[in-house]
Amino acid sequence: MIPTPESTAAYQRDGYLSEIPIADAARAAHYRRQFDALEARVGRETAEMGLSGYQFEEKFIWELATDPTILDWAASLIGPDILLLSTHFFCKYGHGAHREKFVAWHQDVTFWGLEPPRAITAWYAVDDADQENGCMRVIPGSHRRGIGEHGKAERAGNLLSVNQELAVAPEDEDRAVDIVLRAGHMSLHDGSLIHGSLPNRSQRRRCGLTIRYAPTSVKEVGVDGRKMDWPAILVRGEDRQRHFELREAPVFD
């Protein structure tokens, strides 16, 4: 499966693409084992939301973040010059104290401090993600509205870092689409797309790796005067604008 003019048009219209195969069954199982080992080392409390920026420490994360197929898709949407901003695991467990955890409606770029706020998220499925275990949900076309004002979630269990939540009209909730993914597949969504996810009602883990990309043309302006200090790496093309202080790519034995 390769990018086409039709897939680009669908992304521009809807703000997302889904069910893009990245890893075959054997490679997907390999990446799951690598995450299982990482989860065992750090513990579930950290694995749930605390594994951000680990592409510098874990070879399998760096391999995924620079996977040629993923970068081909990213290039078809944001152009040939691509920065990797960071990576972040979202891991929901379907039992114990984790059972009610959810991700409130939000837009990624709200707190990313980018100008213009142009970026994309690749969501690679480490585990199968479906309605039962709390797959991501999106509101098609919502990326074309601009950035909405985010408040605080009143319901307990929001996994977002500062408990942010965007109020969504009932008619928008009614047309939300579930992003069902098999392990080894990915979705892509615009940084302005409204999305979230419901609690994991299964006994299965639902883990995904989010990979944040931006074109080299964006600037880091910060949020409320505070820079995000993205550990940006040029992963494809050239950085002619030099808006970021780029990091060197990690080297693994």
Side-chain angles (χ1 to χ4, degrees):
M1 186 174 178
I2 61 173
T4 64
E6 290 75 20
S7 64
T8 301
Y11 179 87
Q12 292 171 346
R13 180 190 67 234
D14 299 329
Y16 73 96
L17 296 169
S18 187
E19 268 298 296
I20 300 170
I22 299 301
D24 62 17
R27 187 168 158 228
H30 165 73
Y31 288 142
R32 187 184 300 110
R33 288 192 297 271
Q34 293 296 305
F35 180 79
D36 290 345
L38 177 58
E39 176 191 61
R41 292 197 302 273
V42 303
R44 285 188 173 183
E45 290 296 329
T46 298
E48 185 174 63
M49 283 291 289
L51 295 175
S52 179
Y54 270 62
Q55 69 273 14
F56 292 99
E57 301 179 36
E58 298 289 335
K59 182 179 180 181
F60 81 100
I61 302 175
W62 175 248
E63 287 179 355
L64 280 166
T66 57
D67 181 277
T69 301
I70 296 179
L71 293 180
D72 286 346
W73 281 92
S76 75
L77 304 176
I78 61 173
D81 303 321
I82 303 173
L83 298 176
L84 168 65
L85 296 181
S86 193
T87 64
H88 191 184
F89 284 100
F90 279 68
C91 201
K92 283 197 289 189
Y93 300 95
H95 38 74
H98 303 273
R99 186 170 176 81
E100 297 304 315
K101 299 294 182 69
F102 70 103
V103 177
W105 292 117
H106 68 287
Q107 296 165 294
D108 287 341
V109 294
T110 307
F111 298 96
W112 287 11
L114 302 177
E115 181 60 41
R118 187 169 178 234
I120 62 172
T121 296
W123 204 103
Y124 172 83
V126 176
D127 304 317
D128 291 342
D130 51 42
Q131 293 95 334
E132 187 182 26
N133 68 357
C135 64
M136 185 169 67
R137 307 173 74 217
V138 305
I139 298 177
S142 57
H143 64 301
R144 299 195 302 269
R145 303 176 186 175
I147 306 302
E149 184 175 351
H150 288 60
K152 299 293 184 181
E154 296 181 0
R155 173 184 167 194
N158 185 11
L159 285 168
L160 295 178
S161 58
V162 293
N163 194 35
Q164 65 263 42
E165 183 175 40
L166 179 65
V168 168
E171 56 267 28
D172 279 338
E173 290 236 27
D174 289 343
R175 63 187 189 87
V177 173
D178 293 311
I179 305 299
V180 175
L181 293 174
R182 291 167 287 167
H185 288 63
M186 78 164 180
S187 63
L188 288 161
H189 65 264
D190 187 280
S192 297
L193 186 74
I194 300 173
H195 63 290
S197 65
L198 297 173
N200 182 351
R201 299 302 189 190
S202 76
Q203 294 298 307
R204 295 174 289 122
R205 185 184 69 189
R206 191 232 63 174
C207 181
L209 175 66
T210 60
I211 312 170
R212 320 295 200 181
Y213 299 110
T216 58
S217 56
V218 304
K219 296 180 181 179
E220 185 178 17
V221 296
V223 178
D224 297 328
R226 180 175 61 88
K227 285 288 186 75
M228 300 303 294
D229 291 326
W230 291 106
I233 301 175
L234 183 70
V235 288
R236 180 166 287 186
E238 298 181 55
D239 179 20
R240 302 174 182 85
Q241 294 86 358
R242 301 188 182 277
H243 293 318
F244 287 76
E245 186 175 338
L246 296 182
R247 298 276 295 271
E248 294 291 331
V251 177
F252 297 96
D253 293 334

